[in-house]
Amino acid sequence: MKYILVIDHIATGGAERILIDYYHYLKNKGHQPHIFVLSGYAGQSKWTEDIDYITYGSKGDEDNLIKKGIQQLSLYFKLKKLIHEVKPDVIFSFLEKSNLLTIIAPSKAIKIVSVHNVLSIQYTKLKNPQVKKIVYNIIKWMYNKCPNVIAVSKQVKDDLIATFGVQTDNIHIINNYVDRENIRIKAQETIENFTFLPERKYIMNIGRFSDQKAQWKLLKAFALYLKNTNGNVGLVLMGHGEYTTDLQELAKKLQIEKYTTFLPFNVNPYKYMRHAHLFVLSSIYEGFPIVLAEVSSLRIPFLGTQKAIPEEMFDQKKIWEQCIFKSSTLEKDFSTTIHQDEQDLAELIKKGVEDENFRQKILESTAQWEKQNTKRIQFECYDSIAK
């Protein structure tokens, strides 16, 4: 079968990683996959080095409203041309821009679109009520038009139904899984740019330094927790993004820089991850974060915000409820003011680091989900929709 996989961009996000893995899976199964990237260029990402068929629609996103409109029209015609050339049996897309283009593009191919975030929270940044109404109506129209909508978690599906009025029958829940055996092998590789001290218990976070990931909350919570410890703990933040400098400066203002390490994104984060005593996801929202599937494969306890930790990973809701806190401040805040939700996170971190019984409960409650944590199951579910 011939596939076109469509995505907004290829950087370091979860959706991009799924697309790359799915491309190789399809190729190994004897299919003919082709990738269409809305924005980017050859050599931009290391993940595309061994991709044979990839087309870029534009080099970068336009900021000007008129130019942005022209760009979207251009992308539509470029995708239409690619569809005409490839004649795909399936068009599979990731993220909202790609989903919209896929849905409106003329083709008799089976169309599958995927939603990777809780959209009602993602679009809280839209302050103009008229613009917000238009966006919401577009989302409702597009996902009701396509009968094959993949939601990466239950909360993503519930949000599409409750907030946007998407028909239940259109939505399939397929969690993001990983190749856990490969992760365990890569986790044994040697680290060259950092030394994990054996006497320290390390708290870790991996993700883009952005509004969504909200690492400033973690820094403040860690600073509060650190005041009540003997200092034998450390915080490791791995990633890059627009807030790298702001977060580093905040660590200094909070006087925790001696206990906090910022590491650049690494193509093998697992060799660092395996040294973590606790993983904390401070994101204001997530769909189904792949990093948690990776952490789970290494059997590391994790906790985070209510909208970031998927409930279906736990076999007991009461355990899930003990692993989450509600993010009450959604706007970025690089001041030293510690809000109530950050105080709640500090208490949660203390429990996650020091309470062995609690840590064991997390691992036991996620053991059943972990048994099916294999990329093959995820992609076989994709295949069942594509038939």
Side-chain angles (χ1 to χ4, degrees):
M1 293 176 67
K2 296 179 181 179
Y3 286 72
I4 294 180
L5 308 181
V6 188
I7 195 163
D8 295 14
H9 45 69
I10 296 180
T12 58
E16 295 102 305
R17 293 167 66 182
I18 295 170
L19 175 138
I20 296 297
D21 287 343
Y22 193 41
Y23 171 90
H24 290 298
Y25 167 85
L26 290 171
K27 193 174 178 182
N28 290 335
K29 295 279 282 187
H31 299 298
Q32 300 175 44
H34 192 118
I35 295 176
F36 182 74
V37 185
L38 272 57
S39 175
Y41 51 88
Q44 184 180 22
S45 172
K46 290 183 178 180
W47 289 351
T48 62
E49 289 177 353
D50 53 354
I51 300 296
D52 297 323
Y53 303 104
I54 185 166
T55 301
Y56 294 92
S58 62
K59 288 188 175 181
D61 292 324
E62 294 287 354
D63 293 326
N64 179 276
L65 189 60
I66 296 175
K67 289 183 178 180
K68 187 182 288 289
I70 295 172
Q71 183 183 51
Q72 297 309 307
L73 193 62
S74 173
L75 289 171
Y76 168 80
F77 284 110
K78 286 180 179 179
L79 177 58
K80 182 181 178 182
K81 180 183 178 183
L82 183 63
I83 291 171
H84 178 74
E85 293 172 351
V86 175
K87 295 179 175 57
D89 301 290
V90 180
I91 305 174
F92 197 123
S93 72
F94 303 76
L95 306 176
E96 270 58 55
K97 288 181 184 178
S98 301
N99 291 345
L100 178 59
L101 279 177
T102 295
I103 289 169
I104 65 176
S107 174
K108 294 182 179 179
I110 297 171
K111 295 180 179 180
I112 305 171
V113 299
S114 55
V115 184
H116 294 260
N117 279 316
V118 180
L119 298 185
S120 63
I121 301 178
Q122 178 177 327
Y123 289 114
T124 52
K125 60 186 177 182
L126 296 175
K127 303 302 181 184
N128 186 309
Q130 293 179 320
V131 172
K132 189 172 184 177
K133 184 177 180 180
I134 292 172
V135 170
Y136 273 44
N137 284 334
I138 291 173
I139 292 172
K140 179 179 180 179
W141 172 82
M142 60 193 274
Y143 293 136
N144 276 322
K145 185 174 176 62
C146 181
N148 303 311
V149 179
I150 293 174
V152 297
S153 68
K154 179 180 179 297
Q155 71 167 345
V156 170
K157 177 178 180 178
D158 291 345
D159 184 59
L160 287 172
I161 296 169
T163 307
F164 301 97
V166 180
Q167 298 174 39
T168 304
D169 293 344
N170 283 15
I171 309 172
H172 311 264
I173 299 176
I174 303 176
N175 291 162
N176 294 331
Y177 296 120
V178 295
D179 184 347
R180 58 181 176 181
E181 296 307 321
N182 183 53
I183 286 173
R184 289 168 182 170
I185 292 170
K186 288 184 176 180
Q188 301 307 313
E189 293 183 7
T190 303
I191 296 173
E192 297 178 350
N193 63 338
F194 182 68
T195 300
F196 285 89
L197 302 176
E199 67 272 15
R200 279 192 176 180
K201 294 179 177 179
Y202 287 91
I203 300 157
M204 193 167 192
N205 173 280
I206 300 175
R208 183 172 178 79
F209 299 149
S210 63
D211 284 317
Q212 178 187 350
K213 306 300 183 181
Q215 285 93 345
W216 61 86
K217 292 181 181 293
L218 177 52
L219 287 174
K220 293 180 183 183
F222 178 69
L224 192 58
Y225 168 60
L226 191 61
K227 291 179 180 178
N228 300 309
T229 70
N230 56 11
N232 284 339
V233 292
L235 176 63
V236 176
L237 301 179
M238 175 179 284
H240 58 74
E242 57 267 40
Y243 293 148
T244 302
T245 302
D246 297 287
L247 291 169
Q248 291 171 340
E249 289 298 320
L250 178 58
K252 291 179 182 178
K253 288 190 289 185
L254 292 168
Q255 299 180 344
I256 59 172
E257 67 269 29
K258 290 194 299 183
Y259 300 91
T260 306
T261 302
F262 289 86
L263 294 174
F265 172 77
N266 193 288
V267 292
N268 178 12
Y270 318 120
K271 59 185 177 181
Y272 302 88
M273 191 184 290
R274 75 180 178 93
H275 293 280
H277 186 70
L278 179 70
F279 191 89
V280 178
L281 202 59
S282 54
S283 305
I284 293 171
Y285 64 92
E286 294 279 358
F288 194 104
I290 292 178
V291 70
L292 288 189
E294 295 167 339
V295 167
S296 177
S297 70
L298 295 174
R299 298 282 71 201
I300 298 166
F302 57 86
L303 47 85
T305 58
Q306 180 184 24
K307 295 297 184 181
I309 307 295
E311 182 183 339
E312 58 259 51
M313 289 187 75
F314 296 78
D315 61 13
Q316 295 184 60
K317 185 175 182 178
K318 64 180 181 180
I319 303 299
W320 171 73
E321 290 173 341
Q322 293 174 36
C323 295
I324 59 173
F325 74 102
K326 187 174 183 179
S327 187
S328 56
T329 54
L330 302 183
E331 298 296 328
K332 62 179 178 291
D333 181 4
F334 295 109
S335 73
T336 56
T337 301
I338 298 179
H339 303 281
Q340 182 59 53
D341 58 346
E342 291 148 0
Q343 294 176 39
D344 295 341
L345 177 55
E347 288 296 320
L348 201 53
I349 288 173
K350 176 180 174 61
K351 192 175 180 182
V353 171
E354 301 176 9
D355 188 336
E356 286 301 327
N357 183 52
F358 174 58
R359 291 167 52 78
Q360 190 59 34
K361 281 184 179 180
I362 297 172
L363 297 179
E364 290 174 357
S365 188
T366 56
Q368 186 61 42
W369 187 90
E370 174 57 27
K371 286 181 180 179
Q372 60 184 18
N373 183 14
T374 168
K375 187 66 72 176
R376 177 183 55 79
I377 291 179
Q378 179 182 350
F379 290 162
E380 285 177 352
C381 290
Y382 287 178
D383 291 346
S384 67
I385 299 174
K387 291 179 180 178

